Amino acid sequence: MKAFAELYAALDATTSTGEKVALMASFFRAAPAEDAAWAVFLLSGRKLRSVVKSSELRALVRRFAGLDEFVFAECYQHVGDLAETATLLIDSTRPAPTSGETTSPAAGLAEWITERIEPLRRADESQRRAALEAWFAALPRAEMFVLIKVLTGALRVGISRGLVHRALAEAFGIDESRLAQRLMGDAPPSAAWFCGLIAHEATPADRLTPRPFFLATPLETGDPESLGDVRDWQIEWKFDGIRCQLVRRGGAVALWSRGEELLTERFPEIIEAAGRLPSDCVLDGELLCLAPDGSPRPFSVLQTRITRTSISRALLARAPAGFIAYDALEAAGRDLTALALSERRRALETEFVRAHPRLSLSPVLECSTWNIARELRAQARERGAEGLMIKHRASPYGAGRRAVSVAGAEIFAWRKWKVDPYTLDVVLTAAQPGHGKRAGLFTDYTFAVWDAGALVTLAKAYSGLSNDEIVALDAWIRRHTVGRFGPVRQVEPVRVFELGFEGLAESPRHRSGLALRFPRILRERTDKPAAEADTLETARALLRHAQAENLQLRPPRSREDQPGLFGAD
């Protein structure tokens, strides 16, 4: 733990990317394999399953430091980070740290996690309290800070997964793309796992790992002409499902989400369909639930499948899934990612034809001008899409949201042009402080709409305002507070904001009966008094409109008009 705490402190003390890579590379070379494995796990953004609830940890810190709850709350609001708050309070109220068996300096990161932290999950409350209080009393400050960071799952230190790839590549001379592929998935860290990660030769674990996903950059300007000739770009619908890779190697099949979650067991009909493919391959595409005519159904239907770990026959019949493929990354054991999109598309159309109706091909939309693309984008919602995907035909398949080389120029080769969001004018009714860099500022806002003359909470949002707007609104909130509920400030309901969101659905869990998808602040409506904000009935009318449109892609007139990737049985 000591060595990892020193690495964390050194990473936190520098803003130099090169220095961060060098620090991690040095650690990985020197650390035992099991410690290096857990360091990769944590620095890559992965978290331990909940060991101690935040509320329980806060209570233990208050008890150890002898503080009332309101004092701790004020300290936390001022500092903005739970681990830093806890460490400062503990360190200021205890005698000098002592060493002992529980905190032996020889204990490495892996031993701490596997033999001390994870067993707390099976311990009762008194055992957890005894262990944590012993650590509070004995651990040096830097190690205690990292320990609490690990416990709370907030180990953020300005490190991206890409930097971890670079550090491992520098330390062991492994190609970054191979490292990125091996780091996909959720394999538990161990010495054997780390040795496989840095192995120069292929390993059994490589068999069903997905490729790193290539991500699209938003087209924010609404001006696609800035991309050049429309004929250089392939245009498709942006489906509203789950981005996945379907991996078939050596006859075995796996389905991976972009969030690196293995979905194989939850979608057996997709796995069965992929078993009929003519050869091994890796396909990139969208997972959706299907209507009886084969058209995609709304995302809310797919959610009923995502949350289930066991799939009944009734659920399979009620919400059958399909996979819409839009890229081929491997074919018959051959890596296609360096090829141009146009060549990968040909492979998609010619090498994987007529295998199963649950696997289909994303249609390429015919657009001879950007104005036609605009017209199609305007139809996206009624066709069950979020907008358009715009991909350069000459581009290779990259990794992450990075520019790639096309004809000697570095460009963002995949663009997403989403439809304009739904909007409602809502009243600001409450706010609470943010965390981290936004500690001490009210940045999390609660909004309401009118219903029978009263304001009913509709949504919370925290994005969309500039730093200057946040500071100004924070000052206003402090001057116009009319009630306090812990960290939450109730404010005078006089300011109106335009809230944008991607969709809405019925929800019995919310007082309004509605849940908004991805709400964000678009602007303040200084021209509108609170009395003219929207009503709950207006929001419900939006829901009815969305339901009337059915939010589904219109099926082709015949299979010949729009042939699927795999055709019929």
Side-chain angles (χ1 to χ4, degrees):
M1 176 68 86
K2 180 181 178 182
F4 185 69
E6 291 173 348
L7 171 64
Y8 186 92
L11 292 171
D12 196 35
T14 180
T15 58
S16 167
T17 297
E19 189 173 349
K20 287 183 177 183
V21 169
L23 286 166
M24 287 189 290
S26 178
F27 177 89
F28 293 141
R29 281 192 294 262
E34 61 270 20
D35 289 350
W38 279 105
V40 170
F41 175 93
L42 295 170
L43 293 172
S44 297
R46 294 173 65 185
K47 302 177 183 179
L48 298 179
R49 289 192 301 118
S50 178
V51 175
V52 181
K53 293 181 179 179
S54 293
S55 58
E56 183 181 357
L57 183 62
R58 288 195 296 268
L60 285 171
V61 173
R62 291 199 309 270
R63 173 177 169 167
F64 186 91
L67 298 175
D68 291 331
E69 184 174 352
F70 82 92
V71 177
F72 181 91
E74 288 294 324
C75 293
Y76 184 24
Q77 182 176 335
H78 179 74
V79 175
D81 179 90
L82 179 57
E84 187 174 356
T85 303
T87 302
L88 290 171
L89 291 174
I90 292 168
D91 198 47
S92 65
T93 56
R94 68 177 182 174
T98 59
S99 60
E101 182 179 351
T102 305
T103 57
S104 167
L109 179 62
E111 182 178 339
W112 260 101
I113 292 175
T114 59
E115 298 185 19
R116 301 179 185 185
I117 296 175
E118 290 196 324
L120 293 184
R121 191 177 292 113
R122 301 182 296 274
D124 60 32
E125 185 177 350
S126 62
Q127 291 171 321
R128 286 197 302 273
R129 182 173 64 246
L132 285 166
E133 288 180 347
W135 298 341
F136 291 168
L139 271 176
R141 178 173 172 172
E143 293 174 48
M144 182 167 56
F145 176 65
V146 170
L147 169 68
I148 298 174
K149 282 283 189 183
V150 171
L151 288 172
T152 58
L155 196 78
R156 294 185 293 270
V157 67
I159 297 296
S160 67
R161 181 167 297 192
L163 289 188
V164 176
H165 299 167
R166 284 177 55 184
L168 289 166
E170 181 178 306
F172 302 106
I174 309 295
D175 183 73
E176 278 191 53
S177 61
R178 171 168 283 191
L179 286 165
Q181 184 174 349
R182 288 174 175 175
L183 280 170
M184 297 287 286
D186 54 0
S190 65
W193 174 82
F194 186 76
C195 291
L197 177 66
I198 62 173
H200 286 261
E201 66 280 357
T203 69
D206 294 337
R207 186 182 183 193
L208 287 178
T209 54
R211 313 279 305 204
F213 283 80
F214 192 24
L215 306 181
T217 302
L219 183 64
E220 300 286 8
T221 63
D223 177 23
E225 283 84 1
S226 63
L227 300 178
D229 193 334
V230 69
R231 293 171 296 181
D232 293 335
W233 298 83
Q234 177 176 297
I235 300 176
E236 306 167 58
W237 294 116
K238 186 183 186 306
F239 297 105
D240 188 15
I242 297 177
R243 177 89 178 272
C244 287
Q245 283 185 27
L246 190 58
V247 179
R248 172 177 162 161
R249 297 192 186 106
V253 180
L255 183 67
W256 292 91
S257 75
R258 200 192 97 183
E260 300 181 24
E261 186 176 6
L262 190 60
L263 303 178
T264 305
E265 300 298 325
R266 300 182 196 181
F267 294 91
E269 67 271 52
I270 304 300
I271 304 306
E272 189 275 333
R276 303 192 190 185
L277 292 169
S279 63
D280 286 354
C281 60
V282 177
L283 304 179
D284 188 2
E286 203 83 7
L287 182 69
L288 307 104
C289 281
L290 302 176
D293 62 5
S295 59
R297 296 172 70 183
F299 184 81
S300 57
V301 179
L302 182 60
Q303 283 182 309
T304 65
R305 294 287 302 271
I306 301 167
T307 56
R308 305 290 182 89
T309 54
S310 60
I311 307 300
S312 65
R313 290 185 179 180
L315 183 59
L316 282 171
R318 187 168 64 250
F323 182 82
I324 299 180
Y326 43 68
D327 216 328
L329 314 186
E330 294 179 16
R334 180 187 173 207
D335 183 355
L336 306 181
T337 56
L339 299 180
L341 173 63
S342 57
E343 296 179 68
R344 301 198 306 275
R345 178 73 188 195
R346 282 196 291 274
L348 198 60
E349 293 173 344
T350 59
E351 295 192 33
F352 301 101
V353 176
R354 304 193 181 285
H356 198 284
R358 294 236 170 262
L359 308 177
S360 58
L361 180 63
S362 172
V364 174
L365 306 177
E366 294 298 327
C367 296
S368 56
T369 68
W370 286 117
N371 281 334
I372 294 175
R374 283 191 177 88
E375 293 171 3
L376 287 170
R377 174 176 173 264
Q379 302 170 19
R381 273 207 180 97
E382 65 185 70
R383 293 175 176 267
E386 297 180 295
L388 301 178
M389 290 296 301
I390 305 174
K391 306 173 184 178
H392 201 287
R393 297 180 187 274
S395 64
Y397 189 92
R401 194 171 283 109
R402 298 181 187 175
V404 295
S405 179
V406 176
E410 294 291 317
I411 67 168
F412 291 105
W414 281 25
R415 299 295 190 118
K416 53 186 178 182
W417 194 17
K418 299 178 73 171
V419 295
D420 295 330
Y422 291 107
T423 64
L424 286 168
D425 291 334
V426 294
V427 180
L428 174 67
T429 57
Q432 66 186 82
H435 300 283
K437 292 181 179 179
R438 290 185 167 185
L441 290 173
F442 288 96
T443 59
D444 295 6
Y445 311 110
T446 300
F447 298 101
V449 290
W450 294 104
D451 183 37
L455 285 168
V456 177
T457 297
L458 180 69
K460 294 185 177 182
Y462 54 86
S463 63
L465 298 181
S466 68
N467 288 334
D468 289 343
E469 288 172 328
I470 288 172
V471 170
L473 186 55
D474 174 83
W476 183 88
I477 289 168
R478 295 176 190 278
R479 294 194 306 270
H480 295 81
T481 296
V482 296
R484 298 190 184 200
F485 307 91
V488 178
R489 299 277 189 98
Q490 183 181 356
V491 299
E492 294 178 39
V494 296
R495 297 186 70 162
V496 178
F497 291 81
E498 184 178 18
L499 205 64
F501 49 98
E502 301 301 316
L504 67 171
E506 294 182 52
S507 172
R509 295 172 55 192
H510 295 77
R511 184 182 170 193
S512 65
L514 298 173
L516 306 190
R517 190 176 178 204
F518 303 138
R520 59 194 182 278
I521 301 166
L522 299 181
R523 60 172 174 149
E524 183 174 4
R525 292 298 306 268
T526 56
D527 60 320
K528 185 174 270 193
E532 295 180 12
D534 282 321
T535 65
L536 185 57
E537 178 53 35
T538 304
R540 287 173 175 156
L542 279 178
L543 176 63
R544 290 194 295 270
H545 176 69
Q547 291 172 333
E549 286 181 342
N550 205 23
L551 293 184
Q552 295 175 5
L553 279 173
R554 295 170 183 166
R557 294 177 183 175
S558 69
R559 186 170 292 275
E560 288 70 29
D561 291 339
Q562 195 87 326
L565 172 56
F566 305 107
D569 285 317

